[in-house]
Amino acid sequence: MQKLLGYMRAASQQYDMIDEGDKIAVGVSGGKDSLALLCGMAKMRDFYPKKYEIVAVSLDMRFGDKDGDFSEIKQLCDKLGVEYIVKPTGLASLIFDVRKEKNPCSLCSKMRRGVLNNTAKELGCNKLALGHHLDDVAETFIMNLFNGGTLDCFMPVTYLSKADITVIRPMIFARESDCARVARKENRPVKISVCPADGVTEREEVKQFLSSLEKKYGNVRSKILAAMQKKEINGY
């Protein structure tokens, strides 16, 4: 956990992610990454130089038109001293049953983000923390390069004028393996995804591609981030 906290503090300070008095909504899907983010944001309150408060928010996609079980995450939030909100949605039915999306991930991500933004504002939050890590940075960069021919990626800090909220990504220096290690060692209640698109996405293909490159070229993902920082690509 200390290693992850070091990465999170470094990113937060380098990119001025947290200001005194912030109220930050933490998006919690129940996967290892979001749980690591939640625990990290909760523990950083004890030593970060700028005081802030957090509230955890989960979106219930309602797969199969059934309410999801978030009871274990609620227990974790109670233990961490974090307010926890579950927002019911009809996104699963809309995306898979009504629209029958063949490539659902992009639309799903945009719609979930919109609901998260609105929910955060309803809760009086001025910022939204998301669990993207270094692996996500590299994968998104490669996907944008191959699909659109652009050198682009999401930014560490993004102000969304329409939603009037700032999105921060405190784990961008951490590897996915760091998140997995925290979830495993601290016995966090990782939810198994029931999304029918899980594991068969373009992002999964890029993940495997980068892993194959690392066998020959070493830590490719960190090298991509370093290159982005040197060229100041998209705010890095």
Side-chain angles (χ1 to χ4, degrees), residues 72-219:
E72 289 187 309
I73 301 177
K74 176 64 166 64
Q75 292 173 12
L76 173 61
C77 286
D78 289 342
K79 182 179 179 180
L80 295 172
V82 175
E83 179 184 1
Y84 183 47
I85 302 295
V86 177
K87 182 75 171 182
T89 76
L91 292 181
S93 177
L94 175 62
I95 292 169
F96 291 100
D97 300 329
V98 177
R99 298 187 57 137
K100 301 184 186 299
E101 291 285 327
K102 293 182 178 179
N103 299 297
C105 295
S106 178
L107 176 63
C108 182
S109 177
K110 291 178 181 179
M111 296 187 74
R112 284 189 292 110
R113 198 71 49 78
V115 177
L116 269 177
N117 292 341
N118 292 336
T119 303
K121 290 300 294 183
E122 291 170 2
L123 294 171
C125 298
N126 63 313
K127 290 180 179 175
L128 170 65
L130 299 178
H132 295 124
H133 42 60
L134 189 149
D135 294 61
D136 292 318
V137 172
E139 290 159 17
T140 301
F141 180 83
I142 291 297
M143 290 169 67
N144 287 336
L145 175 62
F146 287 177
N147 288 326
T150 61
L151 300 177
D152 197 13
C153 187
F154 52 73
M155 297 175 67
V157 179
T158 307
Y159 174 66
L160 305 176
S161 58
K162 290 185 178 180
D164 186 30
I165 199 162
T166 299
V167 175
I168 62 174
R169 297 174 169 89
M171 297 201 305
I172 58 168
F173 292 159
R175 291 296 304 267
E176 183 176 10
S177 56
D178 296 317
C179 299
R181 191 177 304 111
V182 167
R184 182 176 64 255
K185 289 188 174 181
E186 302 207 1
N187 194 30
R188 295 313 183 196
V190 177
K191 290 174 63 67
I192 303 300
S193 175
V194 296
C195 176
D198 187 55
V200 294
T201 63
E202 179 185 10
R203 182 172 292 275
E204 183 63 27
E205 294 177 357
V206 173
K207 184 190 300 288
Q208 297 302 321
F209 170 67
L210 288 172
S211 293
S212 68
L213 289 178
E214 289 196 336
K215 294 177 181 178
K216 182 176 182 180
Y217 298 105
N219 195 344

